[in-house]
Amino acid sequence: MSAIIRPSGRAAEALRPLTFTRRFTKHAEGSVLVAMGDTRVLCTASVLDKLPPHKKGSGEGWVTAEYGMLPRSTHTRTDREAARGKQSGRTQEIQRLIGRSLRAVVDLKKLGERTLHIDCDVLQADGGTRCASICGAYVAVADAIAGLMKDGALAESPLVDSIAAVSVGVYRGEPVLDLDYAEDSDCDTDMNVVMTGRGGIVEVQGTAEGAPFSRATLEALLDLATAGIEQITVRQNEALSA
Amino acid sequence: MSAIIRPSGRAAEALRPLTFTRRFTKHAEGSVLVAMGDTRVLCTASVLDKLPPHKKGSGEGWVTAEYGMLPRSTHTRTDREAARGKQSGRTQEIQRLIGRSLRAVVDLKKLGERTLHIDCDVLQADGGTRCASICGAYVAVADAIAGLMKDGALAESPLVDSIAAVSVGVYRGEPVLDLDYAEDSDCDTDMNVVMTGRGGIVEVQGTAEGAPFSRATLEALLDLATAGIEQITVRQNEALSA
Amino acid sequence: MSAIIRPSGRAAEALRPLTFTRRFTKHAEGSVLVAMGDTRVLCTASVLDKLPPHKKGSGEGWVTAEYGMLPRSTHTRTDREAARGKQSGRTQEIQRLIGRSLRAVVDLKKLGERTLHIDCDVLQADGGTRCASICGAYVAVADAIAGLMKDGALAESPLVDSIAAVSVGVYRGEPVLDLDYAEDSDCDTDMNVVMTGRGGIVEVQGTAEGAPFSRATLEALLDLATAGIEQITVRQNEALSA
Amino acid sequence: MSAIIRPSGRAAEALRPLTFTRRFTKHAEGSVLVAMGDTRVLCTASVLDKLPPHKKGSGEGWVTAEYGMLPRSTHTRTDREAARGKQSGRTQEIQRLIGRSLRAVVDLKKLGERTLHIDCDVLQADGGTRCASICGAYVAVADAIAGLMKDGALAESPLVDSIAAVSVGVYRGEPVLDLDYAEDSDCDTDMNVVMTGRGGIVEVQGTAEGAPFSRATLEALLDLATAGIEQITVRQNEALSA
Amino acid sequence: MSAIIRPSGRAAEALRPLTFTRRFTKHAEGSVLVAMGDTRVLCTASVLDKLPPHKKGSGEGWVTAEYGMLPRSTHTRTDREAARGKQSGRTQEIQRLIGRSLRAVVDLKKLGERTLHIDCDVLQADGGTRCASICGAYVAVADAIAGLMKDGALAESPLVDSIAAVSVGVYRGEPVLDLDYAEDSDCDTDMNVVMTGRGGIVEVQGTAEGAPFSRATLEALLDLATAGIEQITVRQNEALSA
Amino acid sequence: MSAIIRPSGRAAEALRPLTFTRRFTKHAEGSVLVAMGDTRVLCTASVLDKLPPHKKGSGEGWVTAEYGMLPRSTHTRTDREAARGKQSGRTQEIQRLIGRSLRAVVDLKKLGERTLHIDCDVLQADGGTRCASICGAYVAVADAIAGLMKDGALAESPLVDSIAAVSVGVYRGEPVLDLDYAEDSDCDTDMNVVMTGRGGIVEVQGTAEGAPFSRATLEALLDLATAGIEQITVRQNEALSA
């Protein structure tokens, strides 16, 4: 592609190194440490025998998510939300997005009357924490569901597809894939794309940080994201078959 | 276009009736009641002689927004957020979106050390309240800025463009513009698009409510939205020149 | 009466123009915009199929109220209570008063096991918002009850009387009726009186803002209020028979 | 007066035994245990070298009050407000009333740039706690001010009059003075009257608990209250000169 | 013992004057004002016909405690926790300690499905409020249980022992018993010891305020505390047999 | 020692495997993952250029700590404190203990006007999380201070000693060292001991979970703890010299 040099030296269309460490902690039904470059998120999936009020008696299950950053996961210390007494608007936005994304690939009828409660806690942040959370949460959910099937609690998997997310943006005039913190804090346009393994779009969130962007830029970013998601899907499948 | 009949009988590419009532209340520097079909939002723009901490001493101003729904703006009564003691995640998401959208067309340096505080309060909800809020907020902000210029507080307008938003979605398999509540609660894909009067994209938020959607659908929805925003921009300009 | 000139030019015993716009919004069972001079309050009455804990299984219904001011209903912007995370003492005092006032004219046994939830939201404030809220809430409640009777949910009306409220005060030494903001912020004594259409007193709240007041002043204020309530009652009945 | 027998056997116009124990605790500048029958309230007045924001730099002082009930001051245990995380609407209404009442007799200019912070904590409740609080708070404030004068911090007393409060109500059809809990929970009309030692009215709060009441009843209640306040004023003066 | 002179003139091993005033307030099933020197705490024990979720259906009862300080129980006024909207860490630590201590001497099976809810409210603080609370709470609980037995609600007492607490510390190099505020705010080591009447240890909480302390110091403090608890136990028994 | 077999098969006086992984995350000035058996806590020490109000202008620094458990660090999922909107009493107790413990070995004058803010976040819990937090926090603090000295911000180390903590308890009648979750949830007496590397006692917190314990048991537990702390101190020093 172009001649720009990203802070990391990566090509515009290159992902950061991506690894999934399964069974990172021992209590959760699914527990995955996802590393996307220097971003590290611990994603757990808990199987709970309870339902939110709007699902009680429906015969269906539920998938929900919570998100948090450890106070010193960031360059400078961020206030602890538990100490401040409330979650920020950003936190709520992200955990709603994670929940919606995972629900897109879980058949709630087949899940039965139980909740998959996902927790994504950022141990180290270097950009793209919401995307890393979705990627890791999928692996944790797959492990939790595999456990339910192994235990005979589920006869058939409620997973209808895989799900992954990646950020794309315009950095110094060039569309680039998988922004790290240095790029994220200095980019013109920032877009998060959530897609299934089969290529269906689940969520597109594009924001002009500086000047508005054109339709052509949007198309270029979507092309980059689609190619990125394909690579992530391969890694998720490799991790799950390891 | 197609043969489907929308609940409202509108064509797929038709906006709902759209009006802006300026000076709806008397105290705010800008006060606009926007009606998008049966959705009614009171948008006020207040000029405040204070700044948030991160802008103090910067020589720049700030634009921020808050959003709320009156408890019985909805079909069934919604709990009052002030009584519950906190704003929902949805509310925070929407007010952050409104703020970002308006900041995209205000030059904060030219605004000077003051805050434009936008309040969007939904009196009656029938789908598309966040989009109506952005459309109305622009008119209220334009009035507030005109007042500052008339008073001599500003020599040059900090407005660099107009801004508007519209929802698009896939209703019974067809892409349609400007969803009302009946469509919104029964659609497969829902997308909110925020664009400037000159056609720059400021925000795209698309969500698969049911099945994931294809790139082709995304393109069709963006086409519809672009045409819709153009019409809304005309109405905003008409309202402001009335 | 006397020679003083009120800021509005009104006679001491004159009400401000008073109008009730029924069906102002479409979802609530009763929805009334009351205008008392420049004060504008949207009063809705919602019929809810639920009861507070202390009424469950009692065979009786309940009437309750909530009150709020839009942030820019006031001369200078007031913080949004939902954003601050709690209702002020003033708000709680007012909504408790509205609830008590309406319960005085509703036979809870005849209402049956349902709640009438009143919401009074001030769109524009120019003094007397709590009195306007009570006046408008009565019309909204009457509409909601008429709806229940029309639907056959109630055979007999639980309304035993009408209810209205007005403020009186001592402005520059003279007792005056129905204070607007200019008077309210510059008066010695302020009293809110709530009475039924048949003239029964439901609530009297008189406060010396500056110097204590005499029994004679109290009597003069009560006379003014009684005459004012009679006029308001006529307007309420006219509005309901329109 | 009439033949009814009050639960306590008191005459309709009789106060309950009333005592003020000064210097009940040792740290506060004024500390008074007031006993009105079985109601016991500890009232302290603290002299603070700080001012609320709206008084800073005004050259004036401020008087404010807080109120609380110990959880088992009541017949059945009441939740602790500190544990619930907020003060009830009733608590806020009462503490606002106490503050307004005391401000009516303190010349804030003469007080100088300091705050008198009153705390009224109910140790045992048997009706009339807000009135007992006001009566006791006056004695505590008088002690705190006497201390300031003795220390030379004030040359002239900012107290312009004394202040007291009493409840009156209609019990089984008869107007009675100073309701205890048995009467309060079974009365038709309940009124709290706050007056100065010289007989000026500072606050009148009358509420129809059941049926609305007539102007004649209001007059009878005010007569009873006026006579009651006179007696309380005598006791306050006796206590302060002891 | 040694030659040091404590601010109070007490010997190192001397308790402050200790009294228990039973039936201090009339509504609670047990109500005791404990005075430990100038520290005064009102301890009530309420018998409630309800259980926390984790005890429902267990056939057992529960004992819990809450603690608070009146704002002006302290030298300078402390913020009211109800007004601040939350209990401090210190308050929570203390009320958890009081609850654990009392549970150590109540057989929850014999108590039956009811809660003993203890409230300890500090009227005047002069050091050692948590220890005084435990000592007084025991007497209040004993009274509440005696009432249940007298009423026939309990056939057998669930009390298995008495419980008391005392503070010890190193003041100017000497171990001393029952620290008052002057000592507490100027001591090197502070330890609270909770023991039963028969001498069993229930809780030991020792903290180095300044320099770390040695095992020998710990032993000396435990000796002092043991002797102090013995004396307190005698006073508790005397109070209960009065 | 005795013949009992601990669930882990450890000898009564044996610690669990203990490791410190320094520089576990990259942003914090000190970042240590401590593993005490299966308990894993991420301890970070942040150097902040700010002070709490009570230290401003004192010429001294401050050391404070916050503690949290990831929701699924536990056997069954624990509610997220940030979502519930407040920290539990247990959390506050623990973070106050961590802060006090570290302050015991830091000379605040030598630290200068800065804050060391410690965050201890439990990734996986298997008993003893507060002790592990203190042990790990010491290593993180030592690293942060070493960084300040290397950067020339400090000429002399404010560390006056090392600090460590360990739990001891009576399991099935035998005093044992370093309880894991299986023992902790089934023990009679539980004690946490915090000591410096030179053997000074900083904190002793012993609680009878079931029956009260004797002085002899207390002595045996202190002996075990002292020996355990000595071993932990060796490991801390080894980790820091690696």
mmCIF file of all heavy atoms in Angstrom, chain A residues 195-209:
data_model
loop_
_atom_site.group_PDB
_atom_site.id
_atom_site.type_symbol
_atom_site.label_atom_id
_atom_site.label_comp_id
_atom_site.label_asym_id
_atom_site.label_seq_id
_atom_site.Cartn_x
_atom_site.Cartn_y
_atom_site.Cartn_z
ATOM 1 N N MET A 195 -18.099 -8.444 13.078
ATOM 2 C CA MET A 195 -18.623 -9.316 12.029
ATOM 3 C C MET A 195 -18.575 -10.777 12.483
ATOM 4 O O MET A 195 -17.775 -11.144 13.339
ATOM 5 C CB MET A 195 -17.792 -9.165 10.750
ATOM 6 C CG MET A 195 -17.931 -7.799 10.089
ATOM 7 S SD MET A 195 -16.844 -7.623 8.631
ATOM 8 C CE MET A 195 -17.701 -8.668 7.444
ATOM 9 N N THR A 196 -19.409 -11.579 11.873
ATOM 10 C CA THR A 196 -19.402 -13.011 12.179
ATOM 11 C C THR A 196 -18.337 -13.699 11.322
ATOM 12 O O THR A 196 -17.825 -13.129 10.349
ATOM 13 C CB THR A 196 -20.767 -13.643 11.871
ATOM 14 O OG1 THR A 196 -20.985 -13.571 10.466
ATOM 15 C CG2 THR A 196 -21.885 -12.914 12.598
ATOM 16 N N GLY A 197 -18.055 -14.939 11.679
ATOM 17 C CA GLY A 197 -17.066 -15.715 10.933
ATOM 18 C C GLY A 197 -17.469 -15.897 9.484
ATOM 19 O O GLY A 197 -16.625 -15.967 8.571
ATOM 20 N N ARG A 198 -18.778 -15.948 9.218
ATOM 21 C CA ARG A 198 -19.246 -16.102 7.837
ATOM 22 C C ARG A 198 -19.329 -14.772 7.102
ATOM 23 O O ARG A 198 -19.784 -14.714 5.952
ATOM 24 C CB ARG A 198 -20.634 -16.732 7.827
ATOM 25 C CG ARG A 198 -20.645 -18.162 8.288
ATOM 26 C CD ARG A 198 -21.900 -18.905 7.800
ATOM 27 N NE ARG A 198 -22.069 -20.080 8.634
ATOM 28 C CZ ARG A 198 -22.854 -20.133 9.719
ATOM 29 N NH1 ARG A 198 -23.587 -19.079 10.057
ATOM 30 N NH2 ARG A 198 -22.914 -21.232 10.430
ATOM 31 N N GLY A 199 -18.958 -13.670 7.747
ATOM 32 C CA GLY A 199 -18.886 -12.398 7.047
ATOM 33 C C GLY A 199 -20.101 -11.492 7.191
ATOM 34 O O GLY A 199 -20.183 -10.441 6.556
ATOM 35 N N GLY A 200 -21.057 -11.878 8.025
ATOM 36 C CA GLY A 200 -22.206 -10.998 8.239
ATOM 37 C C GLY A 200 -21.808 -9.839 9.144
ATOM 38 O O GLY A 200 -21.019 -9.998 10.078
ATOM 39 N N ILE A 201 -22.349 -8.660 8.857
ATOM 40 C CA ILE A 201 -22.036 -7.483 9.686
ATOM 41 C C ILE A 201 -22.988 -7.438 10.866
ATOM 42 O O ILE A 201 -24.210 -7.556 10.700
ATOM 43 C CB ILE A 201 -22.164 -6.185 8.872
ATOM 44 C CG1 ILE A 201 -21.256 -6.250 7.628
ATOM 45 C CG2 ILE A 201 -21.807 -4.970 9.719
ATOM 46 C CD1 ILE A 201 -21.442 -5.061 6.684
ATOM 47 N N VAL A 202 -22.457 -7.266 12.051
ATOM 48 C CA VAL A 202 -23.281 -7.204 13.255
ATOM 49 C C VAL A 202 -23.323 -5.793 13.809
ATOM 50 O O VAL A 202 -24.331 -5.345 14.341
ATOM 51 C CB VAL A 202 -22.754 -8.222 14.293
ATOM 52 C CG1 VAL A 202 -23.363 -7.970 15.662
ATOM 53 C CG2 VAL A 202 -23.061 -9.648 13.832
ATOM 54 N N GLU A 203 -22.233 -5.086 13.666
ATOM 55 C CA GLU A 203 -22.212 -3.715 14.192
ATOM 56 C C GLU A 203 -21.136 -2.925 13.450
ATOM 57 O O GLU A 203 -20.034 -3.419 13.216
ATOM 58 C CB GLU A 203 -21.901 -3.740 15.697
ATOM 59 C CG GLU A 203 -22.061 -2.434 16.403
ATOM 60 C CD GLU A 203 -23.334 -2.345 17.242
ATOM 61 O OE1 GLU A 203 -23.996 -3.385 17.502
ATOM 62 O OE2 GLU A 203 -23.702 -1.232 17.631
ATOM 63 N N VAL A 204 -21.482 -1.694 13.097
ATOM 64 C CA VAL A 204 -20.524 -0.767 12.504
ATOM 65 C C VAL A 204 -20.656 0.534 13.279
ATOM 66 O O VAL A 204 -21.753 1.078 13.380
ATOM 67 C CB VAL A 204 -20.849 -0.505 11.015
ATOM 68 C CG1 VAL A 204 -19.940 0.583 10.457
ATOM 69 C CG2 VAL A 204 -20.714 -1.778 10.212
ATOM 70 N N GLN A 205 -19.568 0.995 13.859
ATOM 71 C CA GLN A 205 -19.609 2.259 14.595
ATOM 72 C C GLN A 205 -18.456 3.112 14.136
ATOM 73 O O GLN A 205 -17.323 2.909 14.554
ATOM 74 C CB GLN A 205 -19.468 2.011 16.107
ATOM 75 C CG GLN A 205 -20.619 1.252 16.708
ATOM 76 C CD GLN A 205 -20.550 1.250 18.234
ATOM 77 O OE1 GLN A 205 -19.486 1.418 18.810
ATOM 78 N NE2 GLN A 205 -21.685 1.053 18.870
ATOM 79 N N GLY A 206 -18.768 4.070 13.263
ATOM 80 C CA GLY A 206 -17.715 4.937 12.755
ATOM 81 C C GLY A 206 -17.913 6.353 13.242
ATOM 82 O O GLY A 206 -19.034 6.863 13.237
ATOM 83 N N THR A 207 -16.837 6.984 13.660
ATOM 84 C CA THR A 207 -16.905 8.326 14.226
ATOM 85 C C THR A 207 -15.812 9.191 13.622
ATOM 86 O O THR A 207 -14.654 8.782 13.583
ATOM 87 C CB THR A 207 -16.679 8.257 15.753
ATOM 88 O OG1 THR A 207 -17.671 7.428 16.305
ATOM 89 C CG2 THR A 207 -16.751 9.627 16.397
ATOM 90 N N ALA A 208 -16.210 10.374 13.192
ATOM 91 C CA ALA A 208 -15.201 11.339 12.743
ATOM 92 C C ALA A 208 -14.621 12.010 13.967
ATOM 93 O O ALA A 208 -15.337 12.698 14.688
ATOM 94 C CB ALA A 208 -15.860 12.376 11.835
ATOM 95 N N GLU A 209 -13.356 11.775 14.241
ATOM 96 C CA GLU A 209 -12.752 12.423 15.409
ATOM 97 C C GLU A 209 -12.420 13.868 15.080
ATOM 98 O O GLU A 209 -12.566 14.747 15.912
ATOM 99 C CB GLU A 209 -11.487 11.670 15.843
ATOM 100 C CG GLU A 209 -11.723 10.236 16.274
ATOM 101 C CD GLU A 209 -12.489 10.110 17.582
ATOM 102 O OE1 GLU A 209 -12.422 11.040 18.406
ATOM 103 O OE2 GLU A 209 -13.172 9.080 17.784
#
